[in-house]
Amino acid sequence: MKRTRIAIIVAAFLGLALIFVWLAGGFVSKLPTETVSAGTQAESIDSAEVIAARVPQFRNFSGSLQARQQSSISARITARVAEVLVDAGDIVQAGDILLRLESDDLSARVRQQEQSLAAAQARVNEARLNFQRTESVVQQGVLPEARLDEARAARDSAEAELNRAREALSEARTSEGFSVIMAPFDGVISRRAVFTGDTATPGMLLVSVYQPESLRLEAAVSESVLANVRIGDELTMNLDAFSDPFSARVVEIEPAADVASRSFIVRLAPNSTAAMYPGMYGKVAVPAGERDVLLVPAAAVLQVGQLYYVQVVTSSGSERRLVRLGEATRWQGRDYIEVVSGLRDGERVALRR
């Protein structure tokens, strides 16, 4: 039993050793270690110089796309949904009918108010005529002045009732208009929350619409680099849904910081909103000064397992050297990689063909 445990432990150590050797590239063919003479190397190997440069430094801040012009359309009356004319993704124009609610009772109320208005108008006409007759008789001295006051009061009361009937009719027509839901602006339907037969209640979401051209990337930018951002600046924006970066213009900076994160909301308008949708995740690169780095051409780096090597060209030949790399960058139109350690300024490295 003891021998078995010892055998298991030894096998485990051997397995770990094999893993470390594999990670170090022990099972991968390596660069040739033989030294090449300087004359032969100059003829057969392309080389480039390790460059010391000052490159812009950027900090990435995450955010999401939000439409600056969007609307969540809710019901203002209680009614059954009679017809839904749009689906999510449909393009609509301002004034297009999106859905209808049942309005039979609302239409009946409008007709009732129209009849009430007609009756009130008739009473006003009668009261005005009665006032004119009474006024004429009073002037002749046949009736006392009190009768004229009564006729005037009846006329004023009828006119007030007429105004009330007009307002009631206007209210009924407005309520009837709430049964027809129209698009408030040109845009795209982002959500359809109801279906035919549902019961809509006041405040209940019916549909949502947004304007694609108003999409903005809203990012929380740290106050430490806010001084490097100005309205109108062109920054680089990356979205997870796209492989290529976009150019975006800073259009708004909220002048108040979030107390918890000490960051400011910065909104950027991308140069194109094609195939972009609200809620997409993205990042924006904000300038954060410059820094001194050593750059080596990307074509000079060879990866072996988890390690990186370059072939350094010397006066006596070439030698393989292990390097530690930083971020990739594009400098003067070429692809370079930052070298953290392993090379010095002015050394030359071989380029892979």
Side-chain angles (χ1 to χ4, degrees), residues 303-324:
Q303 182 177 1
V304 180
Q306 301 297 315
L307 305 177
Y308 297 92
Y309 295 91
V310 295
Q311 195 78 6
V312 180
V313 179
T314 64
S315 58
S316 60
S318 64
E319 62 179 20
R320 184 180 62 179
R321 190 178 299 175
L322 178 67
V323 292
R324 188 158 61 93

Side-chain angles (χ1 to χ4, degrees), residues 107-338:
S107 299
R109 183 184 174 191
V110 169
R111 292 191 294 270
Q112 291 173 359
Q113 294 300 330
E114 288 175 345
Q115 293 170 1
S116 297
L117 178 62
Q121 183 66 59
R123 287 192 294 269
V124 166
N125 295 338
E126 181 183 4
R128 287 172 179 172
L129 289 174
N130 186 50
F131 174 77
Q132 292 174 0
R133 295 190 191 99
T134 304
E135 185 179 29
S136 176
V137 174
V138 169
Q139 289 176 354
Q140 296 174 7
V142 177
L143 293 176
E145 190 73 24
R147 295 294 297 273
L148 180 61
D149 293 338
E150 293 176 358
R152 181 182 294 109
R155 183 200 61 183
D156 293 345
S157 177
E159 289 179 347
E161 185 65 22
L162 176 64
N163 292 332
R164 190 200 64 78
R166 285 173 178 167
E167 295 299 326
L169 176 59
S170 177
E171 180 183 2
R173 286 174 174 171
T174 301
S175 297
E176 185 183 31
F178 292 156
S179 65
V180 180
I181 310 300
M182 295 183 292
F185 50 79
D186 297 351
V188 177
I189 301 298
S190 59
R191 184 183 179 189
R192 166 184 172 173
V194 294
F195 296 87
T196 301
D198 291 347
T199 299
T201 57
M204 177 181 176
L205 176 64
L206 302 177
V207 292
S208 297
V209 59
Y210 75 96
Q211 223 296 321
E213 301 300 326
S214 70
L215 285 173
R216 303 287 184 267
L217 178 70
E218 296 186 1
V221 176
S222 173
E223 61 181 348
S224 61
V225 296
L226 187 67
N228 300 330
V229 181
R230 293 287 185 272
I231 299 294
D233 287 353
E234 293 286 337
L235 302 180
T236 300
M237 180 183 79
N238 290 275
L239 296 177
D240 283 359
F242 300 88
S243 57
D244 297 328
F246 296 86
S247 176
R249 181 171 56 88
V250 178
V251 294
E252 184 180 350
I253 301 175
E254 289 190 358
D258 181 77
V259 178
S261 63
R262 312 307 307 172
S263 60
F264 293 77
I265 297 297
V266 177
R267 295 184 175 89
L268 303 98
N271 55 4
S272 173
T273 58
M276 294 184 184
Y277 304 98
M280 281 186 170
Y281 175 80
K283 293 182 179 180
V284 58
V286 177
E290 295 182 336
R291 58 193 178 98
D292 296 319
V293 296
L294 284 178
L295 298 178
V296 63
V301 178
L302 177 64
Q303 182 177 1
V304 180
Q306 301 297 315
L307 305 177
Y308 297 92
Y309 295 91
V310 295
Q311 195 78 6
V312 180
V313 179
T314 64
S315 58
S316 60
S318 64
E319 62 179 20
R320 184 180 62 179
R321 190 178 299 175
L322 178 67
V323 292
R324 188 158 61 93
L325 304 179
E327 298 179 357
T329 185
R330 190 163 183 84
W331 191 70
Q332 295 185 349
R334 297 183 61 184
D335 292 326
Y336 286 87
I337 302 177
E338 177 188 350

Side-chain angles (χ1 to χ4, degrees), residues 21-172:
V21 171
W22 175 76
L23 290 175
F27 301 112
V28 182
S29 61
K30 300 192 171 44
L31 293 172
T33 57
E34 61 270 12
T35 301
V36 182
S37 64
T40 303
Q41 179 182 353
E43 296 176 358
S44 59
I45 300 179
D46 294 331
S47 64
E49 186 177 352
V50 179
I51 303 171
R54 288 185 64 83
V55 298
Q57 186 174 5
F58 295 90
R59 288 182 61 185
N60 289 320
F61 297 94
S62 60
S64 60
L65 286 178
Q66 299 293 337
R68 296 294 290 161
Q69 187 177 12
Q70 57 182 335
S71 178
S72 296
I73 303 174
S74 303
R76 299 186 63 176
I77 59 175
T78 299
R80 195 177 71 88
V81 178
E83 185 179 17
V84 181
L85 304 176
V86 294
D87 285 312
D90 288 351
I91 299 174
V92 296
Q93 303 293 324
D96 287 353
I97 297 177
L98 307 181
L99 56 89
R100 290 187 176 91
L101 305 179
E102 283 190 349
S103 59
D104 294 345
D105 55 339
L106 298 175
S107 299
R109 183 184 174 191
V110 169
R111 292 191 294 270
Q112 291 173 359
Q113 294 300 330
E114 288 175 345
Q115 293 170 1
S116 297
L117 178 62
Q121 183 66 59
R123 287 192 294 269
V124 166
N125 295 338
E126 181 183 4
R128 287 172 179 172
L129 289 174
N130 186 50
F131 174 77
Q132 292 174 0
R133 295 190 191 99
T134 304
E135 185 179 29
S136 176
V137 174
V138 169
Q139 289 176 354
Q140 296 174 7
V142 177
L143 293 176
E145 190 73 24
R147 295 294 297 273
L148 180 61
D149 293 338
E150 293 176 358
R152 181 182 294 109
R155 183 200 61 183
D156 293 345
S157 177
E159 289 179 347
E161 185 65 22
L162 176 64
N163 292 332
R164 190 200 64 78
R166 285 173 178 167
E167 295 299 326
L169 176 59
S170 177
E171 180 183 2

